[in-house]
Amino acid sequence: MFKSVSGFCLLRPISTPDMERHRNSVTSKSKSYRMSYRSSLGAAASRLGLTPALTGRRLDTRRRAPKSHNITEKVNPEQLALLTKTEWQLSYVTPLYRFRHTQLKSYSGQLSAFIAAGKQQGLAVEVFDPQTAFRVSFSVVQGMTESDDDADTVLIQIHSKPLFARQDEPQKTVWSGLLTCVNANPEYLRSLPEYFICLPLFGSSGAEGLTALVKSWFQQSFDCCFGPLEISHTSLQWLMALWTNCHTESSIQHLKMIWTLPAVPPLQVTYTVNPEDAWELWSSVRKTRDKRGGEEEENCIDIEEVTSFMQGLKSHFYRHFKLDLSAGSLNQVSTALGSAKSSGRMKISNSRYMITTLALLTECALFKMPI
Amino acid sequence: MDDSTKLFLQRFMRRIPSYMLRTTLEKWGRLTAAQQKSIDFTQSKWALTEALLTICEENKLAMKHLIELEMIYIMDNPNQGMWYVLQLLDPEDDAHSVELMQFKEQFKSHLKELVRHVSIKIKNHTDQAVWIRIAWGDAFSRPNHLKPTFGVHYLQTPYVFVTNLTSKQKPLLSQAVVLSTRYQAIKDANLSGRKLTAIRDLLMRKYQQVFPTKYPSPLAENNQTISNPHIVKEQAEPAANRLHMACKAFGGGALPQLQSAVYKLKTKFRDDPNKTMTEREEPFRCVVKFESTNLLESLRHCASSGIASTPVTPLLSCIPLKGRNYFVITDNDSGPSSQTHQPQN
């Protein structure tokens, strides 16, 4: 069962640098991208062969402006609270082989046993004690999908008692994990062979030892592999623009960017913009676009608009400090709606824009995937 | 010894690193040589605290003695917490003749007039600094020695450095300082940092100063054997020029360690090539904070390495020149076309 798909892992070292190179070479040509995306998907059937067929994929250069989704009615409030209050460390996961949403109960038992065994082997630091055993629960988050092809989001929680807890003290959630897929490319999803479930975005929050154990259980059980999902400069800019675009519906409070410039010693620049002024700059950028091309739909945002928004902010900064922010790297962006760090930490504070943000991250995860 | 005194000693012991304890106790001088010898400094903090508590009981030491101990430690290790600078304005004719004893008496009596329950301790440090420790109480409570304010004033200078001062206490301290130093007013100097010594050096110009004549020629000699002399020569000139400009703005030597600088910008938005928001008249509001382990060093490196364009903008070079690290920037009133900015007070 495992051998038949081991090609996933084998492909990884070959295709990743290739993809990066390809992405860089086509960044300026937005039209050619759609062609290659399609054509590569056409070749998806042969993906299990050794040709890295999907190397043409790159991030969308246009996306729909975020609609506010009132998911509070669809999603269990307890689960929603966990999703919004947690800062997730993101990873990508390759499609899961023979993962079934109906088997979650048995997965809970298996993973609990796996963690217990792992702890006993001394993989993690804590000493194993049946009193503080870990109880795992898998649950489906209903209502978190955008299209019918998306697999349902799965939430994993690990409960345990603190080391020095009293007997009657209830167990606490010590680790949470999230596997999700929002608005993934339907052609890609349909091109997957039978028995594969695609939940490409994995978020974890809690002790790293537990994260490692959960990952290795998934790897063994569903023949998948995990990799770190950094949030690229472009994605951070997208998030800034998407959030700012929401300002009239729900206030962003502030638009904050943190840059690091490679001076000696390193110089950190925190650039915080007043929410109304950020919004006005954004609408001014949008208006200029409208004049240029009239036939485009209202609700689409182009990458050009995102970059000229950023360019505006950068040149205002340069005019004052004669410092070019492009020399440094953007590490973090945040508003009241959420925060994202280039290291792959993400917090979505407002449930209304969760779907949009997760859709962007799903796309990043699919893009980062080595197959 | 009452409970609050015990608690004070316990808290103090938690703060002081073990290796500093011996010298601090020696400077304090409240222990006999035998007692000092009896303490085993390799013990745990908990055991050391117990030993010290016993000795203090024996010697009948009270809160006022322990305050001295804390002051000795803080004076030797002032680079903790955030220090802010207050600047005195408009000296009276006799301001320059205020001496230590007079300041001490005046300050105590003025502050005690303003606050009913307050404990003030003033000590003279070796480098001419007057150290003030204030434990605040209010109408109903005794002074809280666990959260004291520290102030440092150099006599005959217009600067007072403070740490751990709340906004409620600030007017009280300010008034007492103004009256006892024979000045007429006091204002925020818009300078803050974690290192007292660094912000003091910056204000009192105790670091290597910028003398424009020191950098007369931008080209440095280069005797190294080089692979392509044309390319190197081509690049050496602008590089030397950048270094020259960087040193002109920030000086060539070691710089006082500042951790941050904050600019509140309220200027018109201009993004010339793109013509965005050109019709908008209101200022674009944003806050920019620069942070580094040594901010001035980083900024100088930015200029010399080319990350920052030269000449260095006055906005950055005025941090050492004016001795400030908080600025509010607005457009000059001279006209909308003006590109220059003026740091406002």
Side-chain angles (χ1 to χ4, degrees), chain A residues 263-274 277 280-281 284 312 315-324, chain B residues 267-271 276-277 280 283-293 298 301 307-309 313 315:
Chain A
V264 182
L267 180 64
Q268 184 176 298
V269 178
T270 311
Y271 187 2
T272 316
V273 183
N274 174 288
D277 294 356
E280 216 170 297
L281 174 62
S284 158
S315 63
H316 184 68
F317 182 90
Y318 182 82
R319 202 163 66 83
H320 290 87
F321 300 106
K322 299 278 175 279
L323 267 170
D324 194 354
Chain B
T267 51
K268 193 170 166 1
F269 188 86
R270 202 179 292 120
D271 178 14
T276 30
M277 298 224 293
R280 186 183 138 115
F284 188 78
R285 289 157 292 176
C286 57
V287 179
V288 172
K289 184 174 189 185
F290 294 93
E291 281 166 290
S292 162
T293 47
S298 292
H301 183 264
I307 298 171
S309 310
T313 159
L315 282 193

Side-chain angles (χ1 to χ4, degrees), chain B residues 96-334:
Chain B
H96 63 276
S97 61
V98 173
E99 45 81 44
L100 179 68
M101 287 318 289
Q102 187 190 346
F103 174 78
K104 238 179 172 171
E105 273 171 29
Q106 291 267 315
F107 184 83
K108 280 188 181 172
S109 68
H110 284 302
L111 194 59
K112 279 186 172 155
E113 259 172 50
L114 296 168
V115 198
R116 199 155 138 223
H117 288 113
V118 66
S119 152
I120 309 160
K121 179 103 197 152
I122 298 181
K123 263 179 103 85
N124 191 12
H125 198 40
T126 42
D127 65 349
Q128 303 307 311
V130 181
W131 278 74
I132 309 160
R133 180 193 186 278
I134 307 165
W136 305 85
D138 57 33
F140 310 104
S141 66
R142 293 199 301 169
N144 180 2
H145 282 287
L146 298 175
K147 285 180 182 169
T149 295
F150 279 92
V152 180
H153 174 56
Y154 287 78
L155 289 172
Q156 278 86 47
T157 73
Y159 301 113
V160 183
F161 304 85
V162 291
T163 186
N164 204 7
L165 182 70
T166 65
S167 52
K168 249 189 194 169
Q169 298 153 355
K170 196 171 163 187
L172 304 171
L173 176 89
S174 297
Q175 190 175 333
V177 168
V178 168
L179 292 171
S180 50
T181 50
R182 311 289 300 143
Y183 276 77
Q184 287 175 18
I186 194 163
K187 65 158 191 167
D188 220 313
N190 291 315
L191 178 66
S192 60
R194 297 198 160 271
K195 304 222 158 164
L196 173 68
T197 41
I199 55 176
R200 180 201 65 198
D201 291 351
L202 191 71
L203 280 176
M204 305 199 178
R205 314 260 178 236
K206 281 188 185 171
Y207 65 102
Q208 201 181 333
Q209 289 297 296
V210 185
F211 295 110
T213 48
K214 209 185 147 208
Y215 305 99
S217 130
L219 200 64
E221 263 183 60
N222 193 349
N223 293 329
Q224 285 170 333
T225 46
I226 36 184
S227 52
N228 189 335
H230 293 295
I231 292 175
V232 174
K233 195 177 167 233
E234 190 84 9
Q235 290 175 348
E237 213 167 314
N241 195 32
R242 282 200 303 267
L243 185 64
H244 170 68
M245 293 290 203
C247 292
K248 215 170 153 181
F250 298 107
L255 290 160
Q257 273 190 47
L258 278 187
Q259 287 77 40
S260 67
V262 177
Y263 295 83
K264 239 179 151 165
L265 302 180
K266 291 177 186 168
T267 51
K268 193 170 166 1
F269 188 86
R270 202 179 292 120
D271 178 14
D272 290 326
N274 292 320
K275 304 263 180 277
T276 30
M277 298 224 293
T278 32
E279 66 275 23
R280 186 183 138 115
E281 283 305 316
E282 303 90 65
F284 188 78
R285 289 157 292 176
C286 57
V287 179
V288 172
K289 184 174 189 185
F290 294 93
E291 281 166 290
S292 162
T293 47
N294 189 340
L295 182 71
L296 296 174
E297 202 93 61
S298 292
L299 291 176
R300 182 169 61 188
H301 183 264
C302 278
S304 65
S305 64
I307 298 171
S309 310
T310 44
V312 177
T313 159
L315 282 193
L316 296 176
S317 59
C318 75
I319 300 173
L321 277 178
K322 299 205 166 173
R324 296 176 50 170
N325 63 356
Y326 178 80
F327 302 92
V328 177
I329 312 293
T330 52
D331 281 318
N332 268 351
D333 293 328
S334 52

